[in-house]
Amino acid sequence: MVPRNLVIVESPAKAKTIEKFLGKDYRVTSSIGHIRDMPKKGIGVDIKNNFAVTYEVTEDKKKIVAQLRKDVKTANKIYLATDEDREGEAIAWHLLETLNLPKSTPRIVFHEITKSAIIHAITNPRTVDKNLVDAQQARRIIDRLVGFEISPVLWRKISGARSAGRVQSPVVRLVVEREREIINHVCQSTYKAKADLINSAKELLEAKLDTEFDSKNDALDFANALLEATLSVVSIENKPAKRMPRPPFITSTLQQEASQKLGFSVKQTMTLAQNLYREGVITYMRTDSFTLSETAIESARKVIQQEFGSDYHQARRFKTKDTSAQEAHEAIRPTNLFKSEIFGLEHRARQLYTLIYKRTLASQMSDAKLQKTQIKISISNRSEQFVANGEVLVFPGFLSVYDYLYADDKLLPNLNKGDALNIASFIARESFSRTKPRYTEASLVNRIEKMGIGRPSTFATMVSTVQDRGYVVKETREGVKRNYQQIEIIDNAISESTPTETTGVEKNKLFPTNVAYLLNDFLVKYFNDIVDYKFSAKLESDFDTIASQHTPWQGVVKNFYQPFHQKVEAAADISREETHDMRKLGTDPKSGKPVTVRFGRYGAFVQIGHKDDKEKPVFASLRGSLNIETITLDEALEMFDMPRIVGENNEFGIIKANYGRFGPYLQYGKKYVTLKEDIPENVTLETALKLIKAKEKFDAERIIKTFGNSTIQILNGRFGPYIWNGKKKGKGQKNITIKKIFGNKDPKDLTLAECRQAIAGKLKPKKQNKTAKK
C-alpha cells in the first residue's frame, strides 16, 4: 500500500469534512483535543527551575497517542492542522513533542473549512509558532499556580468554597458587586405624563410631557391647570435620519445576539457555532476581528444586487478597534454567502446559521433612511410643552435583512403651526427609578470583553465555570406586587387611583450564591490581584505581548507568582472568624435573644441565641432565594416555624412538612416523602395525602418478599428483582441481583438462608447455558 500524507486535526467531525476535500492521497485523523497536560497529582511546575513544566499524556488519550504514533510511522508526510488560536497552536506543539516530529513539520491554518481554504493551507504551510505556544503556556502555568496554591487556603478558611481561579474570580466579583448595587439602590419616584390630543379633523395625536414631576401634588397642580388651558402647535420639525448596519459578528457579539434573539446560553451558542464550523458552513468562531475577506465582500455584493438591487448594496470594511485583538482571523461569517440556509442541520443550528448569514449580509448593505417628525404643543397657562415624535421608514436598506427589533412606522396627523388641539385623555403615572440590571450571560460577556479581562477563546468558559462551581446561578424569579399612584383626566374631570404592578421579574439572570459574597470579600481583602480588573486586563495584555513580540514567558510568570505566593503564605495566619463575619438581624421577640445570619460549614444559616448561653442556640439553614445580605428579621423568624403540621389522618397519623438536607419533605410516622411541586409553608393536607398514598403504593409494589423480623428483603429494582441486606448506603449496604446468582428461579421461592448465603458471597454466579443459546 502506498504511504499517504497524514493530516492531524482536533475533532473527528472536522477530520471527515477535510478528508473529502483532500482526496485519496491524504488521510485525516484527530487528536480529539489536547493529548497532554500537567499531571493531576502534584503541581507539575518546577518553580525553582524557572517554572519548568512537566507534561504527561492524559489517561484518556493514551490509546489515541499510541494509534497516532503508528499512523506517523507509515505516513509519507505529516501536517498539523489544529485550530489556529493559541490553544490550537499549543495542541500542535504537544503533538510535535509527543510524536517526536521534527520542528520543520508543516503546520497549516485556515479560517474556514472549505476546499479552497484547505488546498491553500496545504500549499502554504508554516511551522509551529512557538510565540503563540509560549503565550498559552504562560496562561496555563499561572492558572495552575493560582488554583494549586489558593484552593487549599479557601478550603481551610471559607466554608463551601471549592476553588478560586485567576480568570473566574473577577467574574464572580462583577456579579457580586452588581447585586450589591441593586441591594443598596434607594428607589425614588417621579410622575411622568402623557396625553392623547385631538385636532379639528378628529385625529388623535399621542404626546409626552417634556417634564417629570417630583411629587403627586405637582402632578395634580398640572392636571388642574390643564383643564383650563388651551393647546396649540408651536413647531413642526421634519428631518431625515439614518440607521447604519452593525459589523459582522465576532465571538462576543454572536454570544450576545444569540442570547437576546434566540434565547441561547453562551455555552450553547459556542457549541452550535463549533459544529457549524466543523461542518464547513461558517468561518472560525473564536475571533475578535471584524474583518471580512475581499472574497466575502464580493460575494455579498453579488447576492445583495441579485436579491435586492444595486441601491441596497454598500461595501463596508470594518476595522477592529481593540489593539490587543488576537490572531488575524476574519469575523464570523458563512463560508458561502450564496446559501441563505443549510439543510440537514438541527433546528437550533439552523437558527444560529441564519442569524450569522443575515448579520453578514446586512453589514454590506445600505443605510436605512428615515423621516423623523417632531411636533411641540404649547400649554397656555404652563411653561411645559407636550412633544409628539413620529418616524417613517423611507428606504429600508439593511433593515430588509436584519433587525428584528425595528418598530413599524409611527405616522403623525397632518398638522400646521398654530393648530388648536383638545385633550381626549391625560395620565400622569408614578414611575420608580431603576438600578442597573442584573447580568445575563450575554451582558456579562460584553462587560468582560470591554474590561479586557478575557479573550474570545475564554468567554464561554469564564461564564460557565463560575456556575459549575456554585458561585453564580442562572435563575428566573417572579416579581413582587407594588402600588403606584395615577392621576387621569377623563371626560374633563380629574380622577385619582392606586393601581398595582409587578416589579422585579427576572428571566435567566445571574445571581451570586451566598458563598460568592464570602469568597469575593476574602479575595478582595487578601488576594486583591486575583480579582483586580485592571491587573487581570494587564496580564491578558502580557500574554498578547508574549505571542506577538516573543517576550520571555518566564518573566511574566515570575512577576505574577512572587507577590502572589507571599500572600498565600501570609494567609496561613487568617482565622475563620475573620472570614465568616455574622450579620445582626435583631432580637427574637419570644426569647429576647439575638438573631444573626452567617455562613457555616454547610452553607448560610440563621441563629437565635449565642454559643455561650446556658441554652444552646437554635439554627435554620437559608433556603430558596433567601440571601445572606438581604434577609430580614421577619424572614429569619419564619424559618423557625418548621416543622409545620399539615394535618392528621386516621391511616397515616400526624403529617408534618419541613425542610431537610436534601430539600423539602413530608413526614408521617417514621416515613418521608419528597416535596417536588410544593413547599412546606403551602402544601395542603389533600396534596400531602395524594403524595403519601402514591409512595405507599410504590413501596408495596416494590417489596416482593420479607422475612419476619429480618432486615433482609427481596425488592423490585431498576434491573430486576434483587436481595437487599437492609442497610443504608455508606453503612454496609449490599444489593444482590437475583438473576446473576439464581438464574430464572422465582424470587418468591427464595428462602432466608439462600438470601443470607448470597449476601455473604458464598454462592457463585450461575453460568449461562451456552448450549441452550445455540
Side-chain angles (χ1 to χ4, degrees), residues 425-498:
S425 66
F426 167 83
I427 184 169
R429 185 189 189 283
E430 185 180 17
S431 298
F432 300 90
S433 61
R434 294 182 180 181
T435 184
K436 291 179 181 178
R438 289 182 174 89
Y439 290 111
T440 60
E441 287 188 345
S443 63
L444 185 58
V445 165
N446 185 32
R447 183 75 174 137
I448 290 166
E449 182 189 31
K450 286 181 178 177
M451 297 179 80
I453 59 176
R455 291 294 182 265
S457 59
T458 63
F459 291 151
T461 304
M462 291 168 75
V463 173
S464 60
T465 298
V466 295
Q467 296 178 66
D468 294 341
R469 295 193 173 164
Y471 300 141
V472 173
V473 291
K474 181 169 69 173
E475 289 186 354
T476 295
R477 295 185 180 178
E478 295 181 0
V480 294
K481 300 285 186 183
R482 75 173 170 197
N483 296 330
Y484 63 93
Q485 301 297 313
Q486 188 166 279
I487 300 163
E488 295 179 88
I489 295 178
I490 303 172
D491 296 332
N492 212 34
I494 294 174
S495 70
E496 298 178 42
S497 60
T498 308

Coordinates of all heavy atoms in Angstrom, one line a residue, residues 425-498:
S425 N -57.6 62.6 26.4 CA -57.3 61.9 27.7 C -55.9 62.3 28.2 O -55.1 62.8 27.4 CB -57.4 60.4 27.6 OG -56.3 59.9 26.8
F426 N -55.7 62.2 29.5 CA -54.4 62.6 30.1 C -54.1 61.6 31.2 O -55.1 61.2 32.0 CB -54.5 64.0 30.6 CG -53.3 64.4 31.5 CD1 -52.1 64.8 31.0 CD2 -53.4 64.3 32.9 CE1 -51.0 65.1 31.9 CE2 -52.4 64.6 33.8 CZ -51.2 65.0 33.2
I427 N -52.9 61.3 31.4 CA -52.5 60.4 32.5 C -51.1 60.8 33.0 O -50.2 61.0 32.2 CB -52.5 58.9 32.1 CG1 -52.2 58.0 33.3 CG2 -51.6 58.6 31.0 CD1 -52.5 56.5 33.0
A428 N -51.0 60.9 34.3 CA -49.7 61.1 35.0 C -49.5 59.9 35.9 O -50.3 59.7 36.8 CB -49.7 62.4 35.8
R429 N -48.4 59.2 35.7 CA -48.2 57.9 36.4 C -46.9 58.0 37.2 O -45.9 58.5 36.7 CB -48.1 56.8 35.3 CG -48.0 55.4 35.9 CD -47.7 54.5 34.7 NE -47.8 53.1 35.1 CZ -46.8 52.4 35.8 NH1 -45.7 53.1 36.2 NH2 -46.9 51.1 36.1
E430 N -47.0 57.5 38.4 CA -45.9 57.4 39.3 C -44.9 56.4 38.7 O -45.3 55.2 38.4 CB -46.3 57.0 40.7 CG -45.1 57.1 41.7 CD -45.5 56.7 43.1 OE1 -46.6 56.1 43.3 OE2 -44.7 57.0 44.0
S431 N -43.7 56.8 38.5 CA -42.6 55.9 38.0 C -41.5 55.8 39.0 O -41.2 56.8 39.7 CB -42.1 56.3 36.6 OG -43.1 56.4 35.7
F432 N -40.8 54.7 39.1 CA -39.8 54.4 40.1 C -38.4 54.3 39.4 O -38.3 53.7 38.3 CB -40.1 53.2 40.9 CG -41.4 53.3 41.6 CD1 -42.6 52.8 41.0 CD2 -41.5 53.8 42.9 CE1 -43.8 52.9 41.7 CE2 -42.7 53.9 43.5 CZ -43.9 53.5 42.9
S433 N -37.4 54.9 40.0 CA -36.1 54.8 39.5 C -35.6 53.3 39.5 O -35.9 52.5 40.3 CB -35.1 55.6 40.3 OG -35.1 55.2 41.6
R434 N -34.8 53.0 38.5 CA -34.3 51.6 38.4 C -32.8 51.6 38.6 O -32.1 52.5 38.2 CB -34.6 51.1 37.0 CG -36.1 50.9 36.7 CD -36.2 50.3 35.3 NE -37.7 50.2 34.9 CZ -38.1 49.6 33.8 NH1 -37.2 49.2 32.9 NH2 -39.4 49.5 33.5
T435 N -32.4 50.5 39.2 CA -31.0 50.3 39.4 C -30.4 49.6 38.1 O -31.2 49.3 37.2 CB -30.7 49.4 40.6 OG1 -29.3 49.3 40.8 CG2 -31.3 48.0 40.4
K436 N -29.1 49.4 38.0 CA -28.6 48.7 36.9 C -29.1 47.3 36.9 O -29.4 46.7 37.9 CB -27.1 48.6 37.0 CG -26.4 50.0 36.8 CD -24.9 49.8 37.0 CE -24.2 51.2 36.8 NZ -22.7 51.1 37.0
P437 N -29.4 46.7 35.7 CA -29.9 45.4 35.6 C -28.9 44.3 36.0 O -27.7 44.5 35.9 CB -30.3 45.2 34.1 CG -29.3 46.1 33.4 CD -29.1 47.3 34.3
R438 N -29.4 43.2 36.5 CA -28.6 42.0 36.7 C -28.0 41.6 35.4 O -28.6 41.7 34.3 CB -29.3 40.9 37.4 CG -29.7 41.2 38.9 CD -30.4 40.1 39.5 NE -30.6 40.4 41.0 CZ -31.6 41.0 41.5 NH1 -32.6 41.4 40.6 NH2 -31.7 41.2 42.7
Y439 N -26.9 40.9 35.5 CA -26.3 40.4 34.2 C -27.0 39.2 33.7 O -27.5 38.4 34.4 CB -24.8 40.0 34.5 CG -23.9 41.1 34.8 CD1 -23.3 41.3 36.0 CD2 -23.5 42.0 33.7 CE1 -22.4 42.3 36.3 CE2 -22.6 43.0 34.0 CZ -22.1 43.2 35.3 OH -21.2 44.2 35.5
T440 N -27.1 39.2 32.4 CA -27.4 37.9 31.7 C -26.0 37.3 31.3 O -25.0 38.0 31.4 CB -28.2 38.1 30.4 OG1 -27.5 39.0 29.5 CG2 -29.5 38.8 30.7
E441 N -26.0 36.1 30.8 CA -24.7 35.6 30.4 C -24.1 36.4 29.3 O -22.9 36.7 29.3 CB -24.9 34.1 29.8 CG -25.1 33.1 30.9 CD -25.1 31.7 30.4 OE1 -25.2 31.5 29.2 OE2 -25.0 30.8 31.2
A442 N -25.0 36.9 28.4 CA -24.5 37.7 27.2 C -24.0 39.1 27.7 O -22.9 39.5 27.2 CB -25.6 37.9 26.2
S443 N -24.7 39.7 28.6 CA -24.3 41.1 29.0 C -23.0 41.0 29.9 O -22.2 41.9 29.9 CB -25.4 41.8 29.8 OG -25.7 41.1 31.0
L444 N -22.8 39.8 30.6 CA -21.6 39.6 31.4 C -20.4 39.4 30.4 O -19.3 40.0 30.7 CB -21.8 38.4 32.3 CG -20.6 38.1 33.2 CD1 -20.4 39.3 34.2 CD2 -20.9 36.9 34.1
V445 N -20.6 38.7 29.3 CA -19.6 38.5 28.3 C -19.2 39.9 27.8 O -18.0 40.2 27.6 CB -20.0 37.6 27.2 CG1 -19.1 37.7 26.0 CG2 -20.0 36.2 27.7
N446 N -20.2 40.7 27.5 CA -20.0 42.1 26.9 C -19.1 42.9 27.9 O -18.2 43.6 27.5 CB -21.3 42.7 26.7 CG -21.1 44.1 26.0 OD1 -20.2 44.3 25.2 ND2 -22.0 45.0 26.4
R447 N -19.4 42.8 29.2 CA -18.7 43.5 30.2 C -17.3 43.0 30.3 O -16.3 43.8 30.4 CB -19.4 43.4 31.6 CG -18.8 44.1 32.7 CD -19.1 45.6 32.6 NE -18.7 46.3 33.8 CZ -18.0 47.5 33.7 NH1 -17.8 48.1 32.6 NH2 -17.7 48.1 34.8
I448 N -17.1 41.7 30.3 CA -15.8 41.1 30.4 C -14.9 41.6 29.3 O -13.7 41.9 29.4 CB -15.9 39.6 30.4 CG1 -16.5 39.1 31.7 CG2 -14.5 38.9 30.2 CD1 -16.9 37.6 31.6
E449 N -15.5 41.6 28.1 CA -14.7 42.0 26.9 C -14.3 43.4 26.9 O -13.1 43.8 26.7 CB -15.6 41.8 25.6 CG -14.9 42.1 24.3 CD -15.8 42.1 23.2 OE1 -17.0 42.5 23.3 OE2 -15.4 41.8 22.0
K450 N -15.2 44.3 27.3 CA -14.9 45.7 27.4 C -13.8 46.0 28.5 O -13.0 46.9 28.3 CB -16.2 46.5 27.8 CG -17.1 46.7 26.6 CD -18.3 47.5 26.9 CE -19.3 47.6 25.7 NZ -20.5 48.4 26.1
M451 N -13.8 45.2 29.5 CA -12.8 45.4 30.6 C -11.5 44.8 30.2 O -10.5 45.0 30.9 CB -13.3 44.9 31.9 CG -14.6 45.6 32.4 SD -15.2 44.9 33.9 CE -14.1 45.7 35.1
G452 N -11.4 44.0 29.2 CA -10.2 43.4 28.7 C -9.7 42.2 29.6 O -8.5 41.9 29.6
I453 N -10.6 41.6 30.4 CA -10.2 40.5 31.3 C -10.4 39.1 30.7 O -10.3 38.1 31.4 CB -10.8 40.6 32.7 CG1 -12.4 40.6 32.6 CG2 -10.4 41.9 33.3 CD1 -13.1 40.6 33.9
G454 N -10.7 39.1 29.4 CA -10.9 37.8 28.8 C -10.6 37.9 27.3 O -10.3 39.0 26.8
R455 N -10.6 36.8 26.6 CA -10.4 36.7 25.2 C -11.4 35.8 24.6 O -12.0 35.0 25.3 CB -9.0 36.2 24.9 CG -7.8 37.2 25.3 CD -7.9 38.4 24.4 NE -6.8 39.4 24.7 CZ -6.9 40.4 25.6 NH1 -8.0 40.6 26.2 NH2 -5.9 41.2 25.8
P456 N -11.7 35.9 23.3 CA -12.7 35.1 22.6 C -12.7 33.6 23.0 O -13.8 33.0 23.2 CB -12.5 35.3 21.1 CG -11.8 36.6 21.0 CD -11.0 36.8 22.3
S457 N -11.5 33.1 23.2 CA -11.5 31.6 23.5 C -11.9 31.3 24.9 O -12.1 30.2 25.3 CB -10.1 31.1 23.2 OG -9.1 31.8 24.0
T458 N -11.9 32.3 25.8 CA -12.2 32.1 27.2 C -13.5 32.6 27.7 O -14.0 32.2 28.8 CB -11.1 32.8 28.1 OG1 -11.2 34.2 27.9 CG2 -9.7 32.3 27.7
F459 N -14.3 33.4 26.9 CA -15.5 34.0 27.3 C -16.5 32.9 27.9 O -17.0 33.0 29.0 CB -16.2 34.8 26.2 CG -15.5 36.0 25.8 CD1 -15.6 36.5 24.5 CD2 -14.7 36.7 26.7 CE1 -14.9 37.6 24.1 CE2 -14.0 37.9 26.3 CZ -14.1 38.3 25.0
A460 N -16.8 31.9 27.0 CA -17.8 30.9 27.4 C -17.4 30.2 28.7 O -18.2 29.9 29.6 CB -18.1 30.0 26.3
T461 N -16.1 29.8 28.7 CA -15.6 29.1 29.9 C -15.7 29.9 31.2 O -16.0 29.4 32.2 CB -14.1 28.7 29.6 OG1 -14.0 27.9 28.4 CG2 -13.6 27.8 30.8
M462 N -15.3 31.2 31.1 CA -15.4 32.0 32.3 C -16.8 32.1 32.9 O -17.0 32.0 34.1 CB -14.9 33.5 31.9 CG -13.5 33.6 31.5 SD -13.0 35.1 30.8 CE -13.1 36.2 32.2
V463 N -17.8 32.2 32.0 CA -19.2 32.4 32.4 C -19.7 31.0 32.9 O -20.5 31.0 33.9 CB -20.0 32.9 31.3 CG1 -21.5 33.0 31.7 CG2 -19.6 34.4 31.0
S464 N -19.4 29.9 32.3 CA -19.9 28.6 32.7 C -19.2 28.1 34.0 O -19.8 27.4 34.8 CB -19.8 27.6 31.6 OG -18.5 27.4 31.2
T465 N -17.9 28.4 34.1 CA -17.1 27.9 35.3 C -17.7 28.4 36.6 O -17.8 27.6 37.6 CB -15.6 28.2 35.1 OG1 -15.1 27.6 34.0 CG2 -14.8 27.7 36.3
V466 N -18.0 29.7 36.7 CA -18.5 30.2 37.9 C -19.8 29.6 38.3 O -20.2 29.6 39.5 CB -18.6 31.8 37.9 CG1 -17.2 32.4 37.7 CG2 -19.5 32.3 36.7
Q467 N -20.6 29.2 37.3 CA -21.9 28.5 37.6 C -21.6 27.0 38.0 O -22.2 26.5 39.0 CB -22.8 28.5 36.4 CG -23.2 30.0 36.0 CD -24.0 30.0 34.7 OE1 -25.2 29.5 34.7 NE2 -23.5 30.6 33.7
D468 N -20.7 26.4 37.3 CA -20.4 25.0 37.6 C -19.8 24.9 39.1 O -20.1 23.9 39.7 CB -19.3 24.4 36.7 CG -19.9 24.3 35.2 OD1 -21.1 24.3 35.1 OD2 -19.1 24.3 34.3
R469 N -19.1 25.9 39.5 CA -18.5 25.8 40.9 C -19.5 26.3 42.0 O -19.1 26.4 43.1 CB -17.2 26.6 40.9 CG -16.2 25.9 39.9 CD -14.8 26.3 40.1 NE -14.0 25.5 39.3 CZ -12.7 25.8 38.9 NH1 -12.2 26.9 39.4 NH2 -12.0 24.9 38.2
G470 N -20.7 26.7 41.6 CA -21.7 27.1 42.6 C -21.5 28.5 43.2 O -22.1 28.8 44.2
Y471 N -20.8 29.4 42.4 CA -20.7 30.7 42.9 C -21.8 31.7 42.3 O -22.1 32.7 42.8 CB -19.3 31.3 42.6 CG -18.2 30.5 43.2 CD1 -17.0 30.3 42.5 CD2 -18.3 30.0 44.5 CE1 -16.0 29.5 43.1 CE2 -17.3 29.3 45.1 CZ -16.1 29.0 44.4 OH -15.1 28.3 44.9
V472 N -22.3 31.3 41.1 CA -23.3 32.1 40.4 C -24.3 31.1 39.9 O -24.0 30.0 39.5 CB -22.6 32.8 39.2 CG1 -23.7 33.5 38.4 CG2 -21.6 33.8 39.7
V473 N -25.6 31.5 40.0 CA -26.7 30.7 39.5 C -27.5 31.5 38.5 O -27.6 32.8 38.6 CB -27.7 30.2 40.6 CG1 -27.0 29.2 41.5 CG2 -28.2 31.4 41.5
K474 N -27.9 30.9 37.4 CA -28.8 31.5 36.4 C -30.2 31.1 36.8 O -30.6 29.9 36.8 CB -28.4 31.0 35.0 CG -29.3 31.7 33.9 CD -28.7 31.5 32.5 CE -28.9 30.0 32.1 NZ -28.5 29.8 30.7
E475 N -31.0 32.1 37.1 CA -32.4 31.8 37.6 C -33.4 32.8 36.9 O -33.1 33.9 36.5 CB -32.5 31.9 39.1 CG -31.7 30.9 39.8 CD -31.9 30.9 41.3 OE1 -32.5 31.9 41.8 OE2 -31.5 30.0 42.0
T476 N -34.6 32.3 36.9 CA -35.8 33.1 36.6 C -36.6 33.3 37.9 O -37.0 32.3 38.5 CB -36.7 32.4 35.5 OG1 -35.9 32.4 34.3 CG2 -37.9 33.2 35.2
R477 N -36.8 34.5 38.3 CA -37.5 34.8 39.5 C -38.8 35.6 39.3 O -38.8 36.5 38.5 CB -36.6 35.5 40.5 CG -35.4 34.6 41.0 CD -34.6 35.2 42.0 NE -33.5 34.4 42.4 CZ -32.5 34.7 43.3 NH1 -32.6 35.9 43.9 NH2 -31.5 33.9 43.6
E478 N -39.8 35.3 40.0 CA -41.0 36.1 40.0 C -40.8 37.4 40.6 O -40.1 37.6 41.6 CB -42.2 35.3 40.6 CG -42.5 34.0 39.9 CD -43.7 33.3 40.6 OE1 -44.2 33.8 41.6 OE2 -44.1 32.2 40.2
G479 N -41.6 38.4 40.2 CA -41.5 39.7 40.8 C -42.4 39.8 42.0 O -43.1 38.9 42.4
V480 N -42.5 41.0 42.5 CA -43.4 41.3 43.6 C -44.4 42.4 43.3 O -44.1 43.2 42.4 CB -42.6 41.8 44.9 CG1 -41.7 40.6 45.4 CG2 -41.7 43.0 44.6
K481 N -45.5 42.4 43.9 CA -46.5 43.4 43.6 C -46.2 44.7 44.4 O -45.7 44.7 45.5 CB -47.9 42.9 44.1 CG -48.4 41.7 43.4 CD -48.8 41.9 42.0 CE -49.5 40.7 41.4 NZ -49.9 40.9 40.0
R482 N -46.5 45.9 43.7 CA -46.3 47.1 44.4 C -47.4 48.1 43.8 O -47.8 48.0 42.7 CB -44.9 47.7 44.2 CG -44.6 48.3 42.9 CD -43.3 49.0 42.8 NE -42.9 49.4 41.5 CZ -41.7 49.7 41.1 NH1 -40.7 49.7 42.0 NH2 -41.4 50.0 39.8
N483 N -47.8 49.0 44.6 CA -48.8 50.0 44.3 C -48.1 51.3 43.7 O -46.9 51.6 44.0 CB -49.6 50.5 45.5 CG -50.4 49.3 46.0 OD1 -50.8 48.4 45.3 ND2 -50.6 49.4 47.3
Y484 N -48.8 51.9 42.8 CA -48.3 53.2 42.3 C -49.5 54.2 42.1 O -50.6 53.8 42.0 CB -47.6 53.1 40.9 CG -48.4 52.5 39.8 CD1 -49.1 53.4 38.9 CD2 -48.6 51.2 39.6 CE1 -49.8 52.9 37.9 CE2 -49.3 50.7 38.5 CZ -50.0 51.6 37.7 OH -50.7 51.1 36.7
Q485 N -49.2 55.5 42.2 CA -50.2 56.5 42.1 C -50.5 56.9 40.6 O -49.5 57.0 39.9 CB -49.8 57.7 42.9 CG -49.6 57.4 44.4 CD -50.9 56.9 45.1 OE1 -51.9 57.5 44.9 NE2 -50.7 55.8 45.9
Q486 N -51.7 57.2 40.3 CA -52.0 57.6 39.0 C -53.1 58.7 39.0 O -54.1 58.6 39.7 CB -52.5 56.4 38.2 CG -52.7 56.6 36.7 CD -52.9 55.3 36.0 OE1 -51.9 54.6 35.7 NE2 -54.2 54.9 35.7
I487 N -52.9 59.7 38.1 CA -53.8 60.8 38.0 C -54.3 60.9 36.6 O -53.4 60.8 35.6 CB -53.1 62.1 38.4 CG1 -52.6 62.1 39.8 CG2 -54.0 63.3 38.2 CD1 -51.6 63.1 40.2
E488 N -55.6 60.9 36.3 CA -56.1 60.9 35.0 C -57.1 62.1 34.8 O -57.7 62.5 35.7 CB -56.8 59.6 34.7 CG -55.9 58.4 34.7 CD -56.6 57.1 34.4 OE1 -56.8 56.8 33.2 OE2 -57.1 56.5 35.3
I489 N -57.2 62.5 33.5 CA -58.3 63.4 33.1 C -59.2 62.6 32.1 O -58.7 62.2 31.1 CB -57.8 64.7 32.4 CG1 -57.0 65.5 33.4 CG2 -59.0 65.5 31.9 CD1 -56.5 66.8 32.8
I490 N -60.4 62.3 32.6 CA -61.3 61.5 31.7 C -62.6 62.3 31.7 O -63.2 62.7 32.8 CB -61.6 60.1 32.3 CG1 -60.3 59.3 32.4 CG2 -62.6 59.3 31.4 CD1 -60.4 58.0 33.1
D491 N -63.2 62.6 30.5 CA -64.4 63.4 30.4 C -64.3 64.7 31.1 O -65.2 65.1 31.8 CB -65.6 62.5 30.8 CG -65.8 61.3 30.0 OD1 -65.5 61.3 28.8 OD2 -66.3 60.3 30.6
N492 N -63.2 65.3 31.0 CA -62.9 66.7 31.5 C -63.0 66.7 33.0 O -63.3 67.8 33.6 CB -64.0 67.7 30.9 CG -63.4 69.1 30.8 OD1 -62.2 69.2 30.5 ND2 -64.2 70.1 31.0
A493 N -62.7 65.6 33.7 CA -62.7 65.6 35.1 C -61.4 64.8 35.6 O -61.0 63.8 34.9 CB -63.9 64.9 35.7
I494 N -60.9 65.2 36.8 CA -59.7 64.6 37.3 C -60.1 63.4 38.2 O -61.0 63.5 39.0 CB -58.8 65.6 38.1 CG1 -58.3 66.6 37.2 CG2 -57.7 64.9 38.8 CD1 -57.5 67.7 37.9
S495 N -59.4 62.3 38.0 CA -59.6 61.1 38.9 C -58.3 60.6 39.4 O -57.3 60.7 38.7 CB -60.4 60.0 38.2 OG -59.6 59.4 37.2
E496 N -58.2 60.1 40.6 CA -57.0 59.5 41.2 C -57.2 58.0 41.5 O -58.3 57.6 41.9 CB -56.7 60.2 42.5 CG -56.4 61.7 42.3 CD -56.0 62.4 43.7 OE1 -55.3 61.8 44.5 OE2 -56.6 63.5 43.9
S497 N -56.2 57.2 41.3 CA -56.3 55.8 41.6 C -55.0 55.3 42.1 O -53.9 55.9 41.9 CB -56.8 55.0 40.3 OG -55.9 55.2 39.3
T498 N -55.0 54.0 42.6 CA -53.8 53.4 43.1 C -53.7 52.0 42.5 O -54.1 51.0 43.1 CB -53.7 53.3 44.6 OG1 -53.9 54.6 45.2 CG2 -52.4 52.8 45.1

